[in-house]
Amino acid sequence: MVTVPTSPRRARLAVLLSGTGSNMVALADAIDRGTVAADVAVVASDVPTAPGLARAEARGLETVRVPFDRSDRSAWEDELARAIAAHGVDIVVLAGFMRILSGAFLAHWPDRVVNVHPSLLPAFRGADAVGDALAAGVRVTGVTVHLVDELVDHGPILLQEAVAVHPTDTRESLLERLHPVEHRLLPVAVDLLARDRVAIEDGRAILPPDLATFPADRSAP
Ligand code: GRF
């Protein structure tokens, strides 16, 4: 009798977004190219009219809408958790999701909620990282992909890449150079999690040796 080895189950992703969803599209494209060992199980949003939901639906992805309810935040969050858990989700990807998630939500997916943020954390946490970087006059900013803890834009850092700030930059022009970096880094980080290649030690993420200095270390001799 021939035993056919069964391939390990691919990780199932929930992608949470509030806006245009370009990171969701980049992740779905990377999955289609075969570079991420995961599938998008569901795309969820707190904003029923978020353009990212229409983009997800256009490519045949499942979507759920859980409109934010300011009057009962914890009931809203429970409903969101239930709605995505119903899709058998292993990893939650925050791709421009503009709400803060509590410890109760995060406890459903310990060390498996990942966020992409347009700054080199811990600099410029918060909703206007690009504007804040410009206001501070920094010469370099960048992109961080990190695991999410209970603080805003905080938690073990998975990947970072620097992006130069030009003297003539506006929020729009800088975002235009940050976005392609986000689109490149987020799928790499999700693949690492999907393949269980991230260890957490003392609150820091330890990556496998082949990615320990990803992207290439330009300061190396
Ligand atoms: C990105 O800049 C991301 O870093 C931030 O929100 C933005 C979302 O963009 N958290 P998009 O909706 O993926 O185009």
Side-chain angles (χ1 to χ4, degrees):
M1 195 179 92
V2 179
T3 314
V4 180
T6 50
S7 53
R9 192 173 74 85
R10 286 164 66 82
R12 293 174 62 77
L13 311 177
V15 182
L16 272 51
L17 55 80
S18 305
T20 57
S22 71
N23 280 283
M24 178 278 299
V25 169
L27 183 56
D29 285 347
I31 289 169
D32 289 351
R33 283 195 304 272
T35 58
V36 181
D39 295 303
V40 177
V42 64
V43 176
S45 184
D46 58 319
V47 179
T49 56
L53 287 171
R55 294 174 91 176
E57 282 158 3
R59 57 192 301 152
L61 298 173
E62 285 284 329
T63 56
V64 293
R65 290 160 171 78
V66 187
F68 181 63
D69 180 359
R70 196 174 300 279
S71 67
D72 194 344
R73 211 177 190 296
S74 91
W76 165 77
E77 206 185 56
D78 280 354
E79 192 187 335
L80 177 66
R82 265 200 306 276
I84 63 178
H87 291 266
V89 161
D90 307 297
I91 297 170
V92 178
V93 182
L94 308 185
F97 187 66
M98 301 310 280
R99 301 284 167 198
I100 296 158
L101 295 168
S102 76
F105 180 98
L106 299 174
H108 296 297
W109 293 278
D111 293 331
R112 285 291 178 279
V113 181
V114 59
N115 182 41
V116 55
H117 182 76
S119 79
L120 292 176
L121 292 173
F124 309 121
R125 293 163 62 190
D128 190 17
V130 178
D132 292 343
L134 287 171
V138 295
R139 308 284 183 203
V140 175
T141 184
V143 169
T144 302
V145 183
H146 66 100
L147 295 176
V148 175
D149 67 16
E150 286 178 61
L151 303 177
V152 177
D153 299 322
H154 189 271
I157 290 170
L158 298 172
L159 300 173
Q160 287 188 306
E161 186 169 328
V163 170
V165 180
H166 299 170
T168 54
D169 262 334
T170 60
R171 198 187 257 104
E172 289 67 36
S173 65
L174 183 50
L175 253 180
E176 219 169 282
R177 292 201 308 288
L178 288 162
H179 259 136
V181 178
E182 295 187 335
H183 299 166
R184 187 151 36 78
L185 260 52
L186 182 62
V188 174
V190 171
D191 185 60
L192 280 172
L193 292 172
R195 294 178 194 272
D196 258 331
R197 300 187 75 210
V198 179
I200 305 297
E201 282 173 25
D202 299 327
R204 295 171 55 187
I206 312 295
L207 303 190
D210 56 319
L211 285 172
T213 57
F214 176 89
D217 179 3
R218 293 195 197 93
S219 68

